[in-house]
Amino acid sequence: MLPALFTRMIAVLFGREGRSLHLRAAGGATIVLVVVMLCGSWAVVAVEEGAHRANLTSYPRALWWSIETATTVGYGDFYPVTVWGRVVAAIVMVVGITTYGMVTAALATWFVGREQRRGGTWHHLREETAALHERFDRIERMLTGKRDGD
Amino acid sequence: MLPALFTRMIAVLFGREGRSLHLRAAGGATIVLVVVMLCGSWAVVAVEEGAHRANLTSYPRALWWSIETATTVGYGDFYPVTVWGRVVAAIVMVVGITTYGMVTAALATWFVGREQRRGGTWHHLREETAALHERFDRIERMLTGKRDGD
Amino acid sequence: MLPALFTRMIAVLFGREGRSLHLRAAGGATIVLVVVMLCGSWAVVAVEEGAHRANLTSYPRALWWSIETATTVGYGDFYPVTVWGRVVAAIVMVVGITTYGMVTAALATWFVGREQRRGGTWHHLREETAALHERFDRIERMLTGKRDGD
Amino acid sequence: MLPALFTRMIAVLFGREGRSLHLRAAGGATIVLVVVMLCGSWAVVAVEEGAHRANLTSYPRALWWSIETATTVGYGDFYPVTVWGRVVAAIVMVVGITTYGMVTAALATWFVGREQRRGGTWHHLREETAALHERFDRIERMLTGKRDGD
């Protein structure tokens, strides 16, 4: 089931199936975030190793740290103390925030699209053009009636 | 009063009354968030119990912790120290962020809809179609006038 | 200068001058946030007073705490330790997040409106109706030409 | 390569090249944020110097602090302890949050614009006006046919 889901996800993200930009951007950003969190957890342990007062000393701890960093919770139970550890942290933060912004923007786009289809501009466009078609019908009847009257 | 409010809320969220997707999504996400926070508070105390240096040891404390986690404040006065406690925390964080994104997106959709109704595309659509109707009136007058002249 | 600015702000927020909902919502939420932060700072000192390990013991500190709470930074240098202090904190957090969501949504509405005016739906609506007016001109010329030929 | 990129960035932000407001606002806010973070790091060290229990004592540390403040992570490993340090922090927080809101709003505007172009209102506007043009063709044929029949 999982490989099938994975294949399907790849198809939606990179294939012709899912063509709307906002869904692909939100999905792509989420995948990038997960990869950055996994790689960042590994990288931060590697660069922090042996530093004075380092607290990010194992991969499971670093994974938890990357979760609380990407979500901007930041309890402060774990944090990098070296320059390169902080560079990794900054990348995780920025990717986390951007992903969150993309998801919010994709949700807004989805909602706005639904609203416009339901009762907004699209709906009124149809109503207004229906009124114009009625005018055409009337003019055609006038033109035809005249011919009949001739 | 409270049961009436609750019934009304259910009616808006799941009934035919509130049909706009964005309001239902924002409301539904808020309810899911409250449930996740209440259940998460209970779950985190259960899984953290007896762990070395555990600080989430009572339900009221855990409830406060779930509030500062879901809002991504994260003072760091309380935080989970076990793997399962951190899994619960990750769920509370992700649900909290998603709810917040949904509320922001719903607000944007509401504002955009209001703007379009007030002076945007909808307004201009009316203006432009009014001009077309005037043209129809003129053509009809021409057609009628001709008939009179015959 | 400041009283003039204040009067103007009141006029925009509550008068007939600023009629667009999104600007009033964002401005109103910001004012509510400032009031909640000022009152919350005072309230949290009052309820925390005398509590064991209380650290929010003076108004200037509490004001700084309300800033880092409303922006969801939460360093953890100050935090409430009593039930009522945490209730105050929860209110500051929720109002802060909602205000932020309103500002983001108002910005999005402003941008979307500008885009639609610049080269989006509105622009295309004008182009399409201009083409329809040309068709009317042609039909009117046909009707007039016929009359001339009689 | 870097100076070329910089020149290009200036051209897009301030020149006639990039005329869409949302891209310029998001780009401008990002530049303002970077400037505020760099200046804020320098300022916070200057005002915190010599204060009791000050922990923001060097520029590299203050730069890391400004990153975790602007992203609202706030681990609590570094934080200002003086009034002016907290004023600087508040500015960094507010600019950080506003930038983030602008980026989210710009993304939403970009997505909404793409959606409307792809299959939304614009698309339907074209369809509806195409139907009106067909009616014009029919009326013109009627008018011409009549003339032929005379």
Side-chain angles (χ1 to χ4, degrees), chain B residues 75 100 111 116 124 135 138, chain C residues 65 69 76 100 122 137 140:
Chain B
Y75 290 123
Y100 175 25
F111 292 160
Q116 281 186 347
H124 294 286
R135 296 303 298 263
R138 208 167 124 186
Chain C
W65 163 82
T69 299
Y100 176 25
W122 186 3
D137 291 342
E140 284 189 10

Side-chain angles (χ1 to χ4, degrees), chain A residues 108-135:
Chain A
T109 308
W110 183 44
F111 290 160
V112 167
R114 284 278 297 232
E115 272 303 279
Q116 281 186 348
R117 236 163 278 132
R118 210 176 58 98
T121 315
W122 185 2
H123 186 79
H124 294 285
L125 184 63
R126 298 207 149 200
E127 263 178 18
E128 300 287 0
T129 46
L132 293 176
H133 278 290
E134 262 170 50
R135 296 304 297 262

Side-chain angles (χ1 to χ4, degrees), chain D residues 38-91:
Chain D
L38 292 175
C39 296
S41 303
W42 171 81
V44 87
V45 172
V47 297
E48 292 279 307
E49 204 168 30
H52 178 58
R53 283 209 275 186
N55 46 60
L56 285 163
T57 49
S58 74
Y59 191 72
R61 277 182 186 187
L63 201 59
W64 161 243
W65 163 82
S66 76
I67 292 168
E68 55 166 311
T69 299
T71 56
T72 79
V73 172
Y75 289 123
D77 47 353
F78 298 110
Y79 48 83
V81 294
T82 64
V83 171
W84 287 109
R86 286 167 182 172
V87 169
V88 171
I91 293 166

Side-chain angles (χ1 to χ4, degrees), chain A residues 60-61 63-64 67, chain B residues 44 47-48 51 80-90:
Chain A
R61 279 183 186 187
L63 200 59
W64 161 245
I67 292 169
Chain B
V44 88
V47 297
E48 292 278 307
V81 294
T82 63
V83 172
W84 287 108
R86 285 166 182 172
V87 169
V88 171

Side-chain angles (χ1 to χ4, degrees), chain C residues 75 100 111 116 124 135 138, chain D residues 65 69 100 122 137 140:
Chain C
Y75 290 122
Y100 176 25
F111 291 161
Q116 281 186 347
H124 294 287
R135 295 303 299 262
R138 210 166 122 185
Chain D
W65 163 82
T69 299
Y100 176 26
W122 185 2
D137 290 342
E140 284 189 12

Side-chain angles (χ1 to χ4, degrees), chain C residues 41-118:
Chain C
S41 303
W42 171 82
V44 88
V45 172
V47 297
E48 291 278 307
E49 204 169 31
H52 179 57
R53 285 208 275 185
N55 46 59
L56 285 163
T57 49
S58 75
Y59 191 71
R61 277 183 188 187
L63 201 58
W64 160 244
W65 163 82
S66 76
I67 294 168
E68 56 166 309
T69 299
T71 57
T72 79
V73 173
Y75 290 122
D77 47 354
F78 299 110
Y79 49 84
V81 294
T82 63
V83 172
W84 287 108
R86 285 168 183 171
V87 169
V88 171
I91 293 166
V92 173
M93 288 171 196
V94 169
V95 172
I97 288 186
T98 310
T99 301
Y100 176 25
M102 284 218 175
V103 169
T104 303
L107 283 168
T109 307
W110 184 43
F111 291 161
V112 167
R114 284 279 297 234
E115 272 301 281
Q116 281 186 347
R117 239 163 275 134
R118 208 177 60 98

